[in-house]
Amino acid sequence: TITTELLPDDATNKETSWESKDSSVATVENGKITANKIGTTEIVVSSVKNSSIKKVITVNVINLKLTSKTYEIRRDDQEFPYIIGAEQGIMLDEFISNLDNNPSMIHFYSIDGIEFTNLLDEKVKTGEIVKLEYQGKVYDQLYIAVRGEINGDGEINVKDYNTAVKHILKKEILEHYWFSVANVDDEASGIINVKDSNKIQNKILGKIGSLNQ
């Protein structure tokens, strides 16, 4: 809500009018702004008695949730919500181009909480964190999950295969997004079995191109 003050204090008519230049983005009524869609508009408040006395305010309506038309975002796990679907080996600058949000609001962190500053040189890795930040406040964050890349080193290799096998043998239990990146054959089954480890092995051997298909 926007409040106004008309001077001088003894003005006989302090009535104001409100207008949004693009009501599809936001509407305004007596200073109360209602967002309708993502975008930018101008709110104009003016004196009813003298319309030349006015104030123009730029309003930006932004999405405070991370979204993507390319990758799948899963929020069922409230402790570890994650984004999945990126190909192994791509850099963070390509990853960010596949998010719908304003790039200036997107920040990437290692699993240890260290922010990456050069997105051109950093591979997408399972366990990295993407955050949506605006004016110093974090509004949303997701863990990155790369199918087949279980260990978080940016590569799909024998270490990932071995980790999947250890889960199958109940020597190591994968949970949260780590489970999802190992469950590459039939996600609907809800289990990791030899079909998943074999598919990861085939990826390592170059027999298949993508684990996202």
Side-chain angles (χ1 to χ4, degrees):
T1 300
I2 301 172
T3 58
T4 60
E5 182 181 7
L6 282 177
L7 299 175
D9 291 334
D10 59 354
T12 57
N13 187 343
K14 292 190 175 185
E15 188 178 357
T16 55
S17 66
W18 297 84
E19 176 192 5
S20 171
K21 292 295 186 180
D22 188 346
S23 59
S24 68
V25 173
T27 55
V28 61
E29 183 176 358
N30 295 325
K32 183 178 180 181
I33 298 173
T34 301
N36 296 321
K37 71 174 185 180
I38 297 169
T40 301
T41 187
E42 290 182 337
I43 300 297
V44 182
V45 54
S46 57
S47 166
V48 170
K49 185 176 182 180
N50 183 354
S51 60
S52 66
I53 301 174
K54 62 183 178 180
K55 177 70 175 180
V56 179
I57 303 157
T58 300
V59 173
N60 295 306
V61 179
I62 59 177
N63 187 356
L64 295 179
K65 285 286 187 182
L66 288 162
T67 60
S68 174
K69 298 180 182 67
T70 304
Y71 307 133
E72 182 182 354
I73 293 173
R74 300 177 180 176
R75 299 184 184 273
D76 293 341
D77 187 340
Q78 295 184 1
E79 185 178 3
F80 292 97
Y82 61 95
I83 181 168
I84 191 167
E87 293 293 341
Q88 175 265 328
I90 71 166
M91 298 298 179
L92 287 177
D93 67 316
E94 181 178 345
F95 185 92
I96 200 174
S97 71
N98 288 316
L99 300 179
D100 300 333
N101 309 85
N102 186 330
S104 67
M105 297 172 60
I106 298 174
H107 300 261
F108 292 94
Y109 296 82
S110 70
I111 197 167
D112 299 318
I114 300 171
E115 184 172 5
F116 298 116
T117 56
N118 190 346
L119 305 187
L120 292 170
D121 292 338
E122 185 63 35
K123 282 185 180 180
V124 170
K125 301 183 184 74
T126 292
E128 290 175 338
I129 305 165
V130 53
K131 296 184 181 183
L132 187 69
E133 303 179 19
Y134 183 64
Q135 294 185 344
K137 182 177 179 180
V138 177
Y139 285 91
D140 194 19
Q141 72 172 41
L142 298 167
Y143 290 87
I144 296 175
V146 180
R147 287 187 175 95
E149 199 273 281
I150 307 169
N151 293 321
D153 60 3
E155 305 292 337
I156 299 176
N157 52 37
V158 69
K159 293 180 181 179
D160 302 293
Y161 170 80
N162 288 339
T163 300
V165 170
K166 287 178 182 178
H167 176 90
I168 295 167
L169 298 175
K170 296 184 171 26
K171 293 183 177 181
E172 181 176 336
I173 302 302
L174 296 172
E175 298 180 299
H176 306 295
Y177 59 85
W178 293 281
F179 182 95
S180 293
V181 300
N183 186 19
V184 294
D185 183 68
D186 181 11
E187 286 192 84
S189 69
I191 60 172
I192 297 170
N193 55 33
V194 68
K195 291 182 179 179
D196 298 291
S197 60
N198 284 345
K199 196 167 184 178
I200 292 172
Q201 184 180 50
N202 285 336
K203 170 65 176 175
I204 296 168
L205 296 173
K207 293 182 178 181
I208 56 176
S210 173
L211 292 174
N212 288 314
Q213 299 173 349

